[in-house]
Structure formats: structure tokens, C-alpha cells
Amino acid sequence: MVSVQKSEHSVYDVLVIGGSGVDTVVRVDSLPVPLADSVGVPPIREWPGHTGGNVALGCRALGLQVKFLDFIGDDWIGGQVRERLAKGGVDFEPLISPAGTRRAVNLVDTSTGRRMSFYDARDPEDLRMPRDFYLQHLRRAGHVHLSIVNFARHLLDDIEELGVPVSTDLHDWDGLDDYHREFALRSDLVFLSASGAGERIASVMREILREGRAEAVVATAGAGGSYLLTRDGIRTPRPIPATVPPGPVLDSNGAGDAYVSGFLYGRLSGRDLEECAGLGARAGAHACTTEGNTDLIGPGGLLAPHA
């Protein structure tokens, strides 16, 4: 395995903050679903993870040292999150939220793996992570990955002051919603889905680089691959080909999170940004062939020569 570059004082390769929860996955014949009083479906499954949990699990499966901080509820759903992260070897230190653990119901097209997610964020607007709790961990981190939960934005000043590199995933940001903007402009690596901004995605990527601090912006486009824009003077995002999945596509849930994990592994091991995007594509393709986060790609699979 290629060694991961750490700063002299870092203990964690990646500190993930926010974004755990449980997905309830309902497989349907097609999306959108037909308007009906009742629709028969295959067995409904539940997968603990969500975006922050999946990135933490994905990075840990790749051999990175991972710490994960978040709020969960003192409820059975939170127990599922704890159990899955422990099984994946993630060092998880939760705080208890009075609102309970986040949830989502995801409809997944059985023929394409495409999903539609109904996300229950449930965090109170005034929820805050205590500074004396998170600061000790920031000081030990080589890299921070912030989920776009509201309380995470209040860590950005301390992250910037400490000089720790930070990444974030804006998901389907349209480039207009102010909620995402601070995360977009104050992160060193920015990931987002190309679907949110549609035909405007290239201009949104350029705006993030122009107005913010990012060294690179990555827009993922599922089977269409991904796009990489960096500070090299080229204004057109470079297309990164999609990796052909190594098996039938079962579920696209978590594919974007796996992409982030593969990219971060590449970046923390000193690879250039285009190679990192290729590793992200490989990790994302692998994730599409499994249900939930049950079989995460390891370093052997990520770095194996292409067939």
C-alpha cells in the first residue's frame, strides 16, 4: 500500500464531521413511482451510513486512520449507526441530539440503480458542537471532511485558523441556494453532483474557484463520469471517464460518497488531481454493485491495474 502523507502532529488521516444516519431503501420497478394507493415491493432494507458515515467507512476500508464526530439520537436508529461504524473500524465519537438520529427513505429503481431520496435532516437550527469537544480533534487531523449539516459550518473559522485542509460534498447544489455557499467557498476540495445545476454546472464550478479557496472542484455525473476543474488556467472542466462497474448495478446509494473516499485516498497519498478523480470513479463504480455500504472497496481493488 502507498503510504499516506501526514503532517508532523496529525493522528487522523481524515476527520469526518457530521452526516450520519440510516437509509431505508425501497426498491421499485421504475422512477417516478406510479400513483397508486398501494404498490408491492421487494423486501425493504435499512442501511446505516448516510454521507458522512459512508465517507468515514469508505476511507477506513482503504486503510486510512479515520475519526468521525457527529450528533445522533439516543434511539434505536442511532444504535444502528454505532454498530455499523464499529463493525467498519471507524473511531466514532457521537454527541446526543434531542431531535434523534437523521433518516432518509430512498426509492431505488431496480433496473438502473437510480435513486430518489426523501431526507429527514431533523437537526434543530440552533444545534452546535461544543468547541472544547471538536477542537482537540481538529488539532490532530491531517484532513477534515465536512458534511453540509448546519452545525458544521460553525467549525470553519477554527479549521481555517489551524490551516487544516478541508473538503466538502455539496450534493445536488444548484449554485444558487445560499445554504451551501459557505461550504463551497471555504473548502479546499469541493465535490458536487452535476445534476443539481444541470447545463450550468461548468459555470458553477468556475464560480467556486473564482470566489472561493478551492484547489479543485469535482462534479460527479454517475454513468456519465465526472468533471474536474483546477487552478491551472483552463476554464473548461476536464472530463473523467466513468469506470465500468465490475458487476451488475444494484444500488447507486453511496456511490458519490465512495467517490469522495477514493479521491481523498489518492490525494492523501500524494497523487495528482486527475489520478485522484480516476480512483474516485473506480470506488464509485464498485459501490454501485453492492447494496448499501456492505462491501466497500479496499486498497487492493482501488489500485489494481485496469483490465
Side-chain angles (χ1 to χ4, degrees), residues 228-245:
L228 172 67
L229 190 63
T230 62
R231 292 188 178 276
D232 58 5
I234 299 174
R235 290 179 52 78
T236 302
R238 294 194 291 276
I240 306 296
T243 297
V244 177

Side-chain angles (χ1 to χ4, degrees), residues 68-148:
F68 185 25
L69 308 178
D70 196 13
F71 286 94
I72 60 172
D74 184 16
D75 48 30
W76 67 273
I77 309 168
Q80 288 184 287
V81 172
R82 290 177 187 265
E83 182 179 354
R84 176 65 184 100
L85 291 168
K87 183 179 179 181
V90 172
D91 182 1
F92 179 42
E93 192 166 343
L95 298 169
I96 298 301
S97 169
T101 306
R102 304 175 200 95
R103 303 193 69 175
V105 175
N106 297 334
L107 306 185
V108 177
D109 187 320
T110 54
S111 61
T112 66
R114 188 169 65 93
R115 72 160 189 176
M116 182 176 184
S117 181
F118 298 86
Y119 178 52
D120 172 8
R122 75 172 52 212
D123 287 345
E125 181 67 24
D126 61 353
L127 188 67
R128 298 288 183 272
M129 186 168 280
R131 189 169 187 263
D132 60 357
F133 171 75
Y134 69 73
L135 198 57
Q136 58 183 316
H137 300 296
L138 287 181
R139 289 177 174 144
R140 299 173 182 173
H143 182 93
V144 175
H145 181 75
L146 280 188
S147 299
I148 56 170

Side-chain angles (χ1 to χ4, degrees), residues 188-191 209 214-218 228-231 263 273:
D188 300 288
L189 291 172
V190 176
F191 301 89
L209 283 186
E215 64 168 334
V217 182
V218 179
L228 172 67
L229 190 63
T230 62
R231 292 188 178 276
F263 192 106
L273 290 164

